[in-house]
Amino acid sequence: MVETKKQSALDSSGNKLPIDKSDYEEEIFTIITDENYEEMVSDFCEAIFKNSVFEASNTSNDVIDTYMLDVNKLLKQLPRPYTIVQEFYHIDRSFRDTYYTYFSNQHFQVKRYSRRLFFFAIKLSEKEFFTQDEEEQERVADHFMGACVINPLTTGVIGRTLINPRYILNLKSSVYMRLSQFELNIYGKKFNVDAFPYRMQDEETMRCAEVSLLNLLEYYANSYHDYRSVVPSEILENEKRHSHERVLPSRGISYPILTKVLSEFGFSPRLYNLSSIDKYSLSQITQEDELKRCLHYYIESGIPVALNLLPIGNNGSGHSMVCIGHGSVSKELVKKARRNKWISWDNKEHCHPLINSADFYEDYVVVDDNQPVYQVRPFQHLSLYPDMRVENIAVPLYKRMFLDASDAAAIVRSILHHKQFGIDVWSDNFLNEKEDVIIRLFMASSRSLKNFRLNTLENIYAKEAYVIVPMPRFVWVCELYRVENYEDLKAFGEIVIDATSAFGRGHSACSLILMHYPNVIGIRYPEQTTPEFDEMIELENDGLFEGYRKNLQKIT
């Protein structure tokens, strides 16, 4: 059993004992409550700062408050009461790598060890933590909120942080996020947490773009066997191959180099630039609207992406962050989207106008080292800095995801108004004349899509059709909704296309795998090279079906 080095800061009732502030630096268990959090959080941060960064005891409170501000905010943000369990000599893989790469070469000494804080959403004693009782162990594990690494630096003090957003976000409406389950160990105990990696830049070895890369790469390595975990020095080595000057001390990197680094780690990245998006003189959709749509397609697909923000006019420094989710539907944006619906010019007299659900969302969830972990902010104001907008989106795609979001959207529009496969041909008996149709576009793994349809479709022949048709590892899916059914995600139709195809072939409907309209499903097998169905399955009592919900977690 691990023993505390000094007397606990709280008695058995959770009341603070009159001990010296410096004791917090060696307390394994510290309980924070509504009654004591203001004083205890301040004292706790001061003790950690003096132990981790400066050994001198005469450091002013103003200096401490400045460098520990982010830690202070995090500790005050967690729901009370909660318990902090400290690991004093933690070897953080990322920090130890930068230490030996850079900090150990400096004249003035930087400490090697980090400190790690585990958070539990209950009052927790030493006896309860180390108990062998299975029910008590399960109770402790169920209240695990996550962990935060404190690095011995004056800038970028918060290192690798993994916290469940349910304990952080104070929401008025639901958000939908992409998370991964991480396993953490402390004092012989194993805990799991659904989180997305967060850390701060130290401004010497890592700037915001490197932090974005490290967070993305850690997420993908933890989620998929196709990728491996990396350390900061590996990112810097790859930067060096494509940069025209030294990479240490870091001055940040451009997004073309960032995407090149992603490709070095096994991705097939796609880079979108605001100014390179086509303009259409007769359309009310701006370049920024199209960029936002593209972002939303990937976020709805459960693909975290890196965002590059620049000051409007490009006068000043840029910033980088990671987008991992979106908020709820905005009723005002729904009205705007209905005014911007897409109509087939060749069939404009009797076609069904298409409303893009990507236009319904204003808020997005970002992981930004300049802000506390998990921020829900409007697309126009993702950064804390004023007058900044998204200029570049770097998407870390799997190497066989050949069809990107913008091309997939074009293919889907073409299919939906196709003379053979179009919605006008197959849904006349279901939809009213010229009735608006909402489209929801996203990418999904074929295995997950088949499993979801198998468990949610009611018609046995519809289930069979989804199961038997061969699909590549990833597919683009376009669900179809009547306006009144979208809020409940009850679709009446669906188009599934091949994510390994290319736009040239796909535009002629050769990438179409499955077509599901009311009372009919058409499927195509890989050997079918012409745009024709191998099987057409008529369905009786084919009602509305559940919209796909496996890419993002709902946080309420």
Side-chain angles (χ1 to χ4, degrees):
M1 178 178 291
V2 178
E3 296 182 356
T4 55
K5 298 182 181 179
K6 297 184 180 180
Q7 185 182 11
S8 174
L10 299 169
D11 61 21
S12 59
S13 300
N15 298 315
K16 186 179 177 184
L17 295 171
I19 59 175
D20 189 88
K21 293 179 182 180
S22 63
D23 286 350
Y24 286 116
E25 74 186 43
E26 296 184 348
E27 286 294 334
I28 294 180
F29 297 89
T30 302
I31 298 176
I32 306 296
T33 67
D34 283 326
E35 292 74 24
N36 66 22
Y37 82 96
E38 287 284 359
E39 181 182 1
M40 288 194 67
V41 166
S42 177
D43 294 349
F44 187 86
C45 290
E46 179 181 341
I48 290 178
F49 179 83
K50 290 184 177 180
N51 176 268
S52 300
V53 183
F54 292 122
E55 295 182 359
S57 60
N58 58 353
T59 308
S60 70
N61 288 335
D62 290 341
V63 172
I64 296 172
D65 291 343
T66 299
Y67 288 118
M68 298 299 292
L69 179 61
D70 296 292
V71 179
N72 192 297
K73 287 181 178 179
L74 173 62
L75 297 182
K76 288 184 177 180
Q77 193 176 2
L78 294 171
R80 297 177 291 273
Y82 66 91
T83 302
I84 303 173
V85 179
Q86 291 196 72
E87 181 183 5
F88 306 110
Y89 295 100
H90 175 64
I91 300 177
D92 180 68
R93 186 167 180 259
S94 295
F95 175 73
R96 187 57 66 91
D97 175 76
T98 58
Y99 175 83
Y100 285 120
T101 302
Y102 178 78
F103 291 112
S104 63
N105 298 310
Q106 293 184 323
H107 175 70
F108 290 101
Q109 183 180 2
V110 176
K111 296 184 178 181
R112 292 186 305 158
Y113 286 101
S114 301
R115 180 180 295 247
R116 187 163 59 164
L117 313 179
F118 277 60
F119 305 113
F120 295 86
I122 51 173
K123 293 182 178 181
L124 188 61
S125 68
E126 181 179 350
K127 180 180 179 181
E128 292 168 329
F129 182 82
F130 291 109
T131 182
Q132 298 301 309
D133 182 77
E134 291 186 2
E135 288 189 7
E136 185 63 26
Q137 287 181 342
E138 186 175 344
R139 184 181 79 93
V140 172
D142 287 343
H143 287 85
F144 179 56
M145 295 189 287
C148 170
V149 171
I150 306 297
N151 290 325
L153 301 171
T154 55
T155 302
V157 63
I158 294 183
R160 181 177 185 247
T161 299
L162 298 166
I163 296 180
N164 191 316
R166 298 180 188 277
Y167 296 103
I168 292 290
L169 293 174
N170 184 14
L171 299 170
K172 297 180 180 178
S173 58
S174 300
V175 296
Y176 303 84
M177 301 169 58
R178 186 67 175 183
L179 304 172
S180 182
Q181 187 175 89
F182 290 83
E183 181 182 295
L184 300 174
N185 293 274
I186 182 173
Y187 299 137
K189 298 285 186 178
K190 182 189 300 182
F191 299 99
N192 294 316
V193 59
D194 289 335
F196 194 92
Y198 170 86
R199 49 178 49 84
M200 297 174 65
Q201 57 177 302
D202 58 38
E203 297 183 3
E204 293 187 69
T205 65
M206 290 195 301
R207 295 278 181 167
C208 56
E210 286 94 350
V211 167
S212 297
L213 270 172
L214 194 57
N215 287 336
L216 278 173
L217 293 171
E218 182 175 2
Y219 159 78
Y220 279 102
N222 189 73
S223 303
Y224 306 100
H225 296 300
D226 302 87
Y227 311 105
R228 66 178 182 85
S229 180
V230 303
V231 290
S233 63
E234 293 178 272
I235 294 176
L236 296 173
E237 283 298 318
N238 280 282
E239 282 183 38
K240 189 185 299 183
R241 295 195 191 109
H242 309 289
S243 179
H244 300 292
E245 62 175 342
R246 67 182 187 177
V247 297
L248 284 175
S250 176
R251 298 174 62 87
I253 57 174
S254 67
Y255 259 51
I257 292 181
L258 181 144
T259 53
K260 189 62 181 175
V261 173
L262 282 172
S263 67
E264 296 285 353
F265 289 111
F267 294 91
S268 183
R270 181 74 166 86
L271 180 62
Y272 297 88
N273 177 262
L274 179 64
S275 60
S276 66
I277 294 176
D278 292 333
K279 293 181 181 179
Y280 299 100
S281 58
L282 299 180
S283 174
Q284 298 184 40
I285 301 298
T286 66
Q287 289 175 302
E288 198 164 6
D289 291 333
E290 283 292 353
L291 190 67
K292 176 176 170 288
R293 282 180 174 179
C294 200
L295 168 66
H296 189 85
Y297 298 148
Y298 287 117
I299 296 303
E300 194 76 302
S301 303
I303 300 177
V305 301
L307 304 181
N308 178 213
L309 287 78
L310 294 174
I312 297 175
N314 290 343
N315 295 319
S317 300
H319 187 52
S320 178
M321 63 181 67
V322 178
C323 185
I324 64 170
H326 63 74
S328 297
V329 171
S330 166
K331 293 183 178 180
E332 290 299 318
L333 291 186
V334 171
K335 295 177 183 178
K336 180 181 177 181
R338 298 189 71 171
R339 294 194 297 268
N340 292 333
K341 53 193 173 187
W342 188 84
I343 300 174
S344 171
W345 182 258
D346 296 332
N347 199 19
K348 60 181 180 297
E349 297 302 326
H350 58 276
C351 74
H352 292 285
L354 303 178
I355 302 173
N356 196 330
S357 66
D359 297 337
F360 295 175
Y361 300 87
E362 178 180 22
D363 294 332
Y364 288 87
V365 185
V366 294
V367 175
D368 178 8
D369 68 284
N370 282 339
Q371 304 179 60
V373 61
Y374 306 124
Q375 292 296 299
V376 183
R377 298 182 64 86
F379 180 78
Q380 303 293 338
H381 304 286
L382 292 176
S383 173
L384 289 178
Y385 299 110
D387 301 323
M388 294 191 78
R389 67 181 182 185
V390 179
E391 290 283 340
N392 297 290
I393 299 176
V395 188
L397 294 174
Y398 177 66
K399 60 186 177 182
R400 293 187 178 87
M401 292 176 178
F402 298 135
L403 190 63
D404 79 338
S406 55
D407 288 346
I411 290 171
V412 164
R413 287 195 300 266
S414 176
I415 291 174
L416 290 176
H417 288 306
H418 194 277
K419 62 182 180 180
Q420 184 178 353
F421 310 116
I423 193 172
D424 305 327
V425 179
W426 294 97
S427 298
D428 276 351
N429 296 329
F430 179 80
L431 298 172
N432 299 322
E433 184 179 359
K434 300 177 71 173
E435 181 179 352
D436 292 344
V437 172
I438 295 176
I439 61 173
R440 177 179 178 237
L441 181 67
F442 56 89
M443 191 187 295
S445 73
S446 57
R447 181 174 61 181
S448 180
L449 178 68
K450 288 186 176 188
N451 179 263
F452 187 84
R453 293 291 176 239
L454 184 64
N455 292 326
T456 57
L457 288 173
E458 296 183 1
N459 190 292
I460 185 63
Y461 298 107
K463 293 174 184 279
E464 183 180 354
Y466 276 88
V467 172
I468 65 173
V469 63
M471 295 183 186
R473 183 172 180 179
F474 293 98
V475 292
W476 280 101
V477 181
C478 179
E479 294 175 342
L480 309 174
Y481 297 85
R482 293 182 111 162
V483 173
E484 61 268 24
N485 298 133
Y486 181 78
E487 189 172 345
D488 297 324
L489 277 190
K490 296 291 186 179
F492 72 83
E494 182 171 60
I495 299 292
V496 179
I497 61 177
D498 176 15
T500 68
S501 65
F503 180 70
R505 286 174 51 80
H507 202 61
S508 61
C510 285
S511 64
L512 182 60
I513 296 174
L514 181 145
M515 176 193 80
H516 184 181
Y517 287 125
N519 301 315
V520 65
I521 287 183
I523 57 177
R524 295 175 67 231
Y525 293 103
E527 295 82 7
Q528 181 60 265
T529 57
T530 58
E532 297 177 358
F533 287 112
D534 292 286
E535 289 188 43
M536 294 292 295
I537 304 169
E538 294 187 8
L539 307 173
E540 294 183 3
N541 302 319
D542 182 34
L544 302 179
F545 56 91
E546 292 283 338
Y548 183 75
R549 302 169 185 264
K550 291 294 186 179
N551 282 334
L552 301 174
Q553 291 188 33
K554 184 178 181 180
I555 309 295
T556 56

